[in-house]
C-alpha cells in the first residue's frame, strides 16, 4: 500500500510539473487567434489513446503477469484461496472450497504449519515475468520523449532551431527546454 501511495504521489507531481509546460509549449505552436481550437485538437490525443493503450497494457499484463486461477489459487469469483482448513487439509476462500489447488505444494510457515497462498507469487506453479513487463513499459514510455527530441526542430520556427536533429549540445538542450 505504501508503494502504491508513493507511486501515485510521484505520478501526480510529474503531471503537475509537466502539464502546464506541455500546454504552454502547444500554445507557442498554435496559429495566432486559433489557440483554442488548436489546444482542443491537440488534447484529442488524450481521449483517442486511452482505449488502445488500455488494450496494450491489458495484453502485456496478461502475457507477462498471468492470473493464477489456472493453478487453483483463486476460486471461481477471483478470491484467493487463502484460508487453510487443517481438518481436511484443503484451502478455501471466503466464498468456498478451492478444490483445484495442489495442497501438497503449500508453503510452510516458520513454525512448520501449512499456509495457503495469499498472492499469485506464493501460488505453487505460478510464474510471472515482472521484469520483462516493466522493461516493455519503460521502453514504450521512452518513445514520446525521443520523438519530441527528434521532431522538435521541425515544429519550431527556423529562428529558434538549435542545431541538427541528432545534435546533443548545450544549444539543443536549451532549445528543447524552451530557453
Amino acid at each position: 500500500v505504501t508503494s502504491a501511495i508513493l507511486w501515485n504521489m510521484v505520478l501526480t507531481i510529474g503531471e503537475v510539473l509537466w502539464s502546464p509546460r506541455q500546454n504552454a509549449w502547444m500554445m507557442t505552436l498554435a496559429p495566432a487567434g486559433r489557440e483554442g481550437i488548436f489546444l482542443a485538437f491537440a488534447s484529442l490525443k488524450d481521449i483517442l489513446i486511452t482505449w488502445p493503450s488500455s488494450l496494450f497494457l491489458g495484453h502485456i499484463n496478461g502475457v507477462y503477469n498471468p492470473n493464477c486461477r489456472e493453478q487453483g489459487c483463486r476460486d471461481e469469483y477471483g478470491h484467493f484461496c487463502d484460508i487453510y482448513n487443517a481438518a481436511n487439509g484443503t484451502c478455501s476462500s471466503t466464498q468456498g472450497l478451492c478444490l483445484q489447488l495442489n495442497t501438497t505444494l503449500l508453503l510452510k510457515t516458520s513454525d512448520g504449519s501449512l499456509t495457503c497462498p495469499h498472492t499469485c507469487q506464493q501460488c505453487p506453479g505460478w510464474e510471472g515475468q515482472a521484469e520483462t513487463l516493466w522493461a516493455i513499459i519503460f521502453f514504450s514510455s521512452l518513445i514520446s520523449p525521443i520523438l519530441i527530441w527528434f521532431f522538435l526542430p521541425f515544429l519550431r520556427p527556423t529562428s529558434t532551431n538549435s542545431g541538427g536533429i541528432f545534435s546533443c549540445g548545450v544549444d539543443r538542450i536549451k532549445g528543447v527546454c524552451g530557453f
Side-chain angles (χ1 to χ4, degrees):
V1 172
T2 305
S3 298
I5 292 171
L6 288 173
W7 177 256
N8 249 341
M9 288 174 55
V10 167
L11 288 179
T12 301
I13 290 169
E15 183 69 21
V16 164
L17 295 175
W18 172 250
S19 284
R21 176 71 182 135
Q22 181 183 18
N23 288 340
W25 178 68
M26 283 193 300
M27 289 297 100
T28 63
L29 299 174
R34 309 273 301 175
E35 290 87 358
I37 193 75
F38 187 85
L39 184 60
F41 276 113
S43 299
L44 190 61
K45 68 158 178 63
D46 296 335
I47 296 168
L48 296 178
I49 199 68
T50 302
W51 190 71
S53 65
S54 296
L55 285 176
F56 171 69
L57 292 174
H59 172 71
I60 65 170
N61 191 35
V63 170
Y64 296 104
N65 192 24
N67 194 338
C68 56
R69 185 177 290 172
E70 291 80 26
Q71 286 77 22
C73 292
R74 291 184 182 217
D75 65 12
E76 58 193 32
Y77 303 105
H79 299 104
F80 278 101
C81 302
D82 56 357
I83 303 168
Y84 182 67
N85 304 318
N88 58 6
T90 61
C91 294
S92 64
S93 69
T94 55
Q95 301 295 319
L97 279 178
C98 301
L99 300 174
Q100 294 177 335
L101 182 61
N102 185 352
T103 54
T104 60
L105 300 174
L106 291 181
L107 305 168
K108 289 190 178 186
T109 60
S110 58
D111 65 356
S113 62
L114 293 175
T115 182
C116 296
H118 297 282
T119 65
C120 283
Q121 288 85 4
Q122 296 172 344
C123 186
W126 182 84
E127 248 185 74
Q129 299 171 347
E131 296 85 9
T132 305
L133 172 74
W134 285 107
I136 291 170
I137 292 172
F138 174 74
F139 287 116
S140 64
S141 298
L142 288 178
I143 292 171
S144 179
I146 289 171
L147 287 176
I148 288 174
W149 180 270
F150 185 78
F151 287 110
L152 197 60
F154 301 108
L155 297 173
R156 291 213 169 140
T158 55
S159 62
T160 60
N161 271 348
S162 46
I165 294 172
F166 297 108
S167 69
C168 291
V170 175
D171 290 338
R172 175 72 191 268
I173 293 171
K174 286 181 177 178
V176 168
C177 296
F179 299 114

